[in-house]
Amino acid sequence: MLELKHLAFAAGDTGKNTEIIRDLSLTIPDNRFIVITGPNGGGKSTLAKLIAGIEKSTAGQIIFNGEDISGKSITERAQMGIGFAFQQPVRFKGLTVLDLLRIAARRQLSVGDACEYLSEVGLCAKDYIHREINASLSGGELKRIEIATILARDIQLALFDEPEAGIDLWSFSNLIRIFENMRNDSGGKTIIVISHQERILSIADEIIVLADGTVQKQGPRDEILPEIIGTNIAVNACHKLDGKEAAE
Amino acid sequence: MKAMDAVQKRLLEEVADLHDIPEGAYNLRANGESVGRNTTANIDIQSKTDRSGIDIRIRPGTKHESVHIPVVLSESGLKETVYNDFYIGEDCDVLIVAGCGIDNCGSQDSQHDGVHRFFVGKNAKIRYVEKHYGSGAGSGQRILNPVTEVYQEEGSTVEMEMVQIKGVDSTQRTTLAELKEGAKLIVQERLMTHGTQQAYSVYKVDLKGSGSSADVVSRSVARDQSFQKLDMCIIGNAACSGHTECDSIIMDSGRILAVPSLEANHVDAALVHEAAIGKIAGEQLVKLMTLGLTEAEAEAQIINGFLK
Ligand SMILES: Nc1ncnc2c1ncn2[C@@H]1O[C@H](COP(=O)(O)OP(=O)(O)OP(=O)(O)O)[C@@H](O)[C@H]1O
Ligand SMILES: [Mg+2]
C-alpha cells in the first residue's frame, strides 16, 4: 500500500519558489491498476519522481507498506520494490539491451529469459538483445525497452510515465495487452500508469486526475471516465493545437 | 620454451587473453628475451640481426591465421626498445595480437617501447589487437611508449583495437598511418587512467589514395588526478573520407585535453571530427539507481559499458 500524506514539492531558485506539488494526499491500496491523468504541466511526472526518490519532497510523507520512505534514497526504494519507467528513457553508450535487462533483473538472466521480456513488448529479441542503448534506437524502441526492464524486475509498485508516448498505433494494442496481463497476474502488485490515452484509462480500476500539483478527482473508472472524456483534460494537447492553428 | 612464473602468466592473460601457449604463430618475450616462438607454413618469424625485435612475414593469401606477440616484464628497472616489422602479403586475412604487461614491484622504472611497423599488401585484411596493462605495488613507474606505423596498399583493410585500462603510469602512444587507393583503416581506442597517470595519444592518418577512408574512435576515462591528451589528426590528400571521434568521461579531478585536427588538401576530401568530454550523465546514474544499483555500482556499470 502506498500512502501520500500532505506531500509538497517546490522547485526553483530561492525567493522564487514555485510549488509544483501542493498538499497532495492519496491512498493507493495493493493490487490495483491506477491511471493518473491530467493536463500537461500538472505535476504527474514530478509526483512519480517523488515516489521513486528522484526528487525529494519538501513537505509531507510517503508511506510504502507502512514504512515512511520519504528519507530513503532512490536505490533503497528500488530495492524495496518500487520500479519506474521514465517518460523519457535514458540512453547509454556501450550498455546493451541485454546488459540493462540483466541489471534490472539483478541476476545473470539467460539470453532466453531476456528474449521473453523483449517479445512481450513486441520487439524481435534477436534484433535487439545485443544492440547498444544509444542514439541509434528509435524513440518507440527505447520506450519499449524501458517497459521490458520493468517487466524483468521483481517489484511491488510499478510506475509508468506515459508508456504509450511514441508507440505506434499497431503496437498500442500490444501495450494495452501488456498492462492487462500485468493487471491480471499482478499478484499483489500495484501499477500506476500516467497516461492521456482513453484506452489506457478504460482499463483502470481507478483514475486520478492531477492538475495544478494536486488531486482534482479520484475514484473508480466508471465514475471518473465519463466526467473527463471529451473535456480538455484527456485530449488537452490536440484541442489546443487545433484551436491555435484554426486561429492562424 | 622456458617456463614462465605466475606473475608472467597473469600478465599474459591480461594482455593477450592467453592462459598458456597460443595456437598458430607466436613470439613470447619476457624480461627482455624471447622465451618461445612458433612459426607456421604461412607465417615466419625471424629475430632482427641489427637491433632488438622481430620480422614477421605472412605469405600472400594466408587466411584465418593468427600471430600472437605478447611481451611481459616482471623485473623492476628493465628498459627496452623493440622493433617489430610485419610484412603482410596480398589478400591475407589475419589476426595479430600484441600487448604488453608490466609488473613492477620494485623502486626502479620499468619501460617497454615497442615500435611496430605494418606493411599491408594489396587487398589484405588485418585485425590488430593491442592491450597494455600494468600492475605491482612498487614505487617504480610502469612506462609504455608504443609507436605504430601502418602502410596500407590499395584495397587493404586494417582494424585496430587498442586498449589500456589499468596500471600504466606513463604512456606516449603514437600511431601513424598512410593509406593508398581504396584502403580502409578503423581504429577503436579505449583508455582509462587512474591516480597521477599520464597518457598521451597521437594519431596521424594520411589519406593518400582516392577512395581511402579512416574511422578513428577513442573512448576514454580519466579518474583521480590523471591526465590525458588525445591528439588526432587526419589529412585528406585525395577524394577520401575521414572521421575521428573522441568521447571522454572525466571523474574526480581527472583532466583531458582533446586536440582534433583535420587537414583537407583535396576538394573531395570529406573529413569529420566529433569530440565530447564530460562527467557521467546524472540521468544515467539515476536510471540505474532506480533499478536498485547503488551510485558506485551504477558508475561502474556505466564505465564498463563505455569502455567495452
Ligand atoms: N526541477 C524543476 N524546476 C522547475 N520547474 C519544474 C521542475 N520540474 C518540473 N517543473 C515544472 O513543474 C510542472 C509540472 O511538471 P511535470 O513534468 O510534473 O508535469 P506533467 O504533469 O508530467 O506534464 P506532461 O503531461 O507534459 O508530462 C511543469 O510546469 C514543469 O515545468
Ligand atoms: Mg510528464
Side-chain angles (χ1 to χ4, degrees):
Chain A
M1 187 159 86
L2 180 73
E3 291 166 273
L4 309 178
K5 292 185 178 167
H6 307 291
L7 202 63
F9 174 70
D13 313 324
T14 38
K16 209 187 107 211
N17 261 15
T18 36
E19 281 223 306
I20 295 167
I21 296 293
R22 295 180 296 129
D23 192 24
L24 188 152
S25 295
L26 257 185
T27 299
I28 297 174
D30 287 343
N31 217 353
R32 286 299 160 93
F33 189 93
I34 310 279
V35 179
I36 300 181
T37 193
N40 294 136
K44 302 178 296 297
S45 296
T46 306
L47 177 62
K49 286 178 191 165
L50 286 171
I51 297 169
I54 297 168
E55 299 283 10
K56 289 280 191 270
S57 47
T58 38
Q61 288 173 302
I62 303 172
I63 318 275
F64 183 56
N65 292 338
E67 191 177 343
D68 187 349
I69 60 165
S70 316
K72 293 206 185 293
S73 69
I74 304 173
T75 307
E76 286 170 311
R77 296 186 203 195
Q79 288 174 356
M80 290 173 82
I82 296 177
F84 180 31
F86 289 18
Q87 183 168 3
Q88 270 139 3
V90 180
R91 297 174 200 263
F92 295 88
K93 267 185 197 159
L95 281 186
T96 63
V97 173
L98 182 60
D99 291 333
L100 196 68
L101 287 171
R102 282 182 172 160
I103 292 170
R106 304 227 80 184
R107 63 192 168 93
Q108 269 309 100
L109 209 64
S110 73
V111 171
D113 292 339
C115 286
E116 292 272 303
Y117 297 121
L118 288 178
S119 313
E120 265 189 77
V121 295
L123 291 177
C124 177
K126 73 169 169 32
D127 295 343
Y128 288 95
I129 196 92
H130 297 298
R131 284 276 295 272
E132 273 186 36
I133 308 167
N134 60 19
S136 75
L137 286 170
S138 80
E141 289 165 343
L142 208 57
K143 281 296 265 192
R144 295 199 227 178
I145 291 162
E146 183 81 355
I147 295 166
T149 61
I150 302 297
L151 299 178
R153 292 196 56 200
D154 179 20
I155 44 175
Q156 292 182 37
L157 175 70
L159 295 154
F160 293 91
D161 196 350
E162 298 196 27
E164 78 278 3
I167 299 228
D168 59 65
L169 272 179
W170 181 81
S171 314
F172 187 65
S173 0
N174 184 52
L175 187 70
I176 298 287
R177 198 184 46 77
I178 296 171
F179 287 121
E180 276 174 335
N181 286 348
M182 283 183 90
R183 189 177 70 152
N184 295 341
D185 56 34
S186 58
K189 261 184 216 145
T190 290
I191 298 156
I192 301 177
V193 182
I194 295 170
S195 176
H196 302 287
Q197 285 295 326
E198 194 181 325
R199 280 192 64 192
I200 293 184
L201 287 160
S202 69
I203 59 167
D205 294 320
E206 211 171 275
I207 295 172
I208 293 168
V209 180
L210 200 73
D212 292 328
T214 198
V215 176
Q216 302 280 312
K217 289 187 173 70
Q218 177 185 12
R221 174 194 58 214
D222 293 341
E223 191 180 299
I224 307 287
L225 195 54
E227 290 183 37
I228 56 176
I229 290 294
T231 71
N232 68 349
I233 288 173
V235 282
N236 198 359
C238 280
H239 277 197
K240 278 197 178 154
L241 199 65
D242 285 349
K244 212 172 163 194
E245 275 176 358
E248 276 169 6
Chain B
M1 178 174 142
K2 281 188 198 170
M4 286 191 297
D5 62 28
V7 172
Q8 293 179 345
K9 280 193 173 173
R10 179 172 54 79
L11 292 173
L12 196 60
E13 215 175 299
E14 288 284 351
V15 297
D17 293 320
L18 292 175
H19 302 282
D20 224 316
I21 303 162
E23 277 188 34
Y26 66 83
N27 185 76
L28 277 168
R29 186 180 172 94
N31 291 337
E33 51 179 317
S34 183
V35 295
R37 177 175 300 172
N38 186 47
T39 59
T40 67
N42 294 322
I43 303 177
D44 187 40
I45 303 176
Q46 295 289 332
S47 296
K48 282 191 187 292
T49 47
D50 54 339
R51 53 189 173 177
S52 186
I54 48 177
D55 285 332
I56 296 113
R57 282 172 207 280
I58 305 178
R59 262 203 207 179
T62 302
K63 296 213 192 288
H64 311 303
E65 285 200 40
S66 63
V67 194
H68 283 79
I69 55 156
V71 171
V72 296
L73 265 67
S74 55
E75 226 172 69
S76 184
L78 209 66
K79 278 189 188 161
E80 58 178 6
T81 304
V82 178
Y83 299 85
N84 297 332
D85 289 327
F86 294 80
Y87 299 92
I88 296 133
E90 295 181 5
D91 300 309
C92 282
D93 186 350
V94 292
L95 167 70
I96 298 168
V97 182
C100 180
I102 300 186
D103 185 87
N104 192 350
C105 291
S107 57
Q108 284 173 295
D109 295 353
S110 296
Q111 178 170 348
H112 174 84
D113 297 349
V115 181
H116 290 184
R117 292 196 298 174
F118 294 85
F119 301 92
V120 187
K122 274 186 194 163
N123 301 316
K125 221 181 137 187
I126 67 165
R127 208 169 104 79
Y128 175 64
V129 180
E130 183 194 272
K131 283 192 191 170
H132 284 167
Y133 171 80
S135 62
S139 58
Q141 297 244 308
R142 296 164 297 249
I143 303 166
L144 287 168
N145 297 320
V147 174
T148 309
E149 291 176 27
V150 184
Y151 301 95
Q152 292 186 241
E153 294 297 325
E154 289 88 350
S156 63
T157 302
V158 173
E159 258 182 71
M160 300 173 113
E161 205 181 292
M162 330 268 242
V163 182
Q164 180 174 311
I165 303 287
K166 238 182 142 177
V168 178
D169 293 303
S170 162
T171 194
Q172 166 91 48
R173 53 167 62 238
T174 309
T175 307
L176 306 172
E178 282 183 22
L179 285 75
K180 288 195 183 162
E181 236 164 83
K184 189 173 172 184
L185 173 70
I186 301 164
V187 179
Q188 301 244 23
E189 184 182 58
R190 298 286 181 266
L191 201 57
M192 177 147 81
T193 48
H194 300 258
T196 55
Q197 292 168 5
Q198 302 223 336
Y200 294 83
S201 184
V202 177
Y203 284 86
K204 193 166 178 191
V205 178
D206 190 348
L207 298 171
K208 289 191 153 164
S210 77
S212 60
S213 68
D215 189 17
V216 180
V217 176
S218 169
R219 280 193 186 175
S220 74
V221 178
R223 334 177 62 129
D224 307 323
Q225 276 87 52
S226 65
F227 175 74
Q228 296 176 11
K229 181 175 174 190
L230 309 165
D231 188 339
M232 297 180 154
C233 173
I234 295 192
I235 304 160
N237 281 315
C240 59
S241 62
H243 171 244
T244 68
E245 189 180 329
C246 287
D247 207 341
S248 305
I249 292 178
I250 39 173
M251 301 170 75
D252 316 309
S253 312
R255 292 184 304 134
I256 291 179
L257 173 62
V259 191
S261 67
L262 302 175
E263 182 181 329
N265 297 320
H266 190 285
V267 73
D268 288 316
L271 308 176
V272 179
H273 179 82
E274 297 173 75
I277 305 175
K279 61 180 183 197
I280 295 177
E283 57 168 22
Q284 293 185 336
L285 290 171
V286 165
K287 177 69 222 177
L288 297 189
M289 293 193 298
T290 65
L291 296 176
L293 300 193
T294 62
E295 187 167 351
E297 286 168 343
E299 203 174 87
Q301 287 282 356
I302 293 163
I303 298 293
N304 264 345
F306 183 73
L307 292 175
K308 204 161 47 189

